[in-house]
Amino acid sequence: MPDLSEPAREKRNSVIVRAAVAFPGGLSNERRVRNLSRSGACVEHAGELQVGATVQLQMGTITDLAAEVMWVTERLAGLRFAEPIDLDEARKPRGIGTTPKAGWIAEINDAYRR
C-alpha cells in the first residue's frame, strides 16, 4: 500500500541553467541547476550546503527566491522553494530584458527616427 503521509513530488525537468545561490553567512556563488520543477530544484555545490539550511536564489528573472536544503550528497543538493515558481521565468537568461529609457539608444529601433 502506498505511503500517503507525504505528497507526491512534482515532476522535475532536466535543465542546465545557472543560478546565483546566496548561502548562510552572506557568501554567494554561481551554481548549475541540474533539474527544476515549480516547487524545487537540484543544484551542484562544493560542500557548502547542509540539510535544513535556507538559501536565496537568483535564477532567470526570479530574484530573492527562498529555498530550504532538503538533502545533500557530495556534489548535489535538493532544494524546496518557499513558494512555487514560473518555470519560463526561471529559464530566462539573467540580466536580459532591460530596456533603455533615456538617450539616443532608447530610440534606436524607432521606425520614425531619421
Side-chain angles (χ1 to χ4, degrees), residues 55-69:
V55 296
Q56 296 288 323
L57 290 107
Q58 291 184 2
M59 180 172 34
T61 60
I62 300 171
T63 59
D64 299 324
L65 174 62
E68 180 183 356
V69 180

Side-chain angles (χ1 to χ4, degrees), residues 13 21 27 32 34 38-39 41 54 64 68 70 85 87 90 92 98 107 111 114:
N13 300 300
V21 180
L27 179 66
R32 187 181 309 188
R34 303 299 298 253
R38 288 179 28 86
S39 60
T54 300
D64 299 324
E68 180 183 356
M70 302 305 293
I85 63 166
L87 294 175
K92 288 182 180 176
T98 345
E107 297 172 359
R114 291 181 183 215

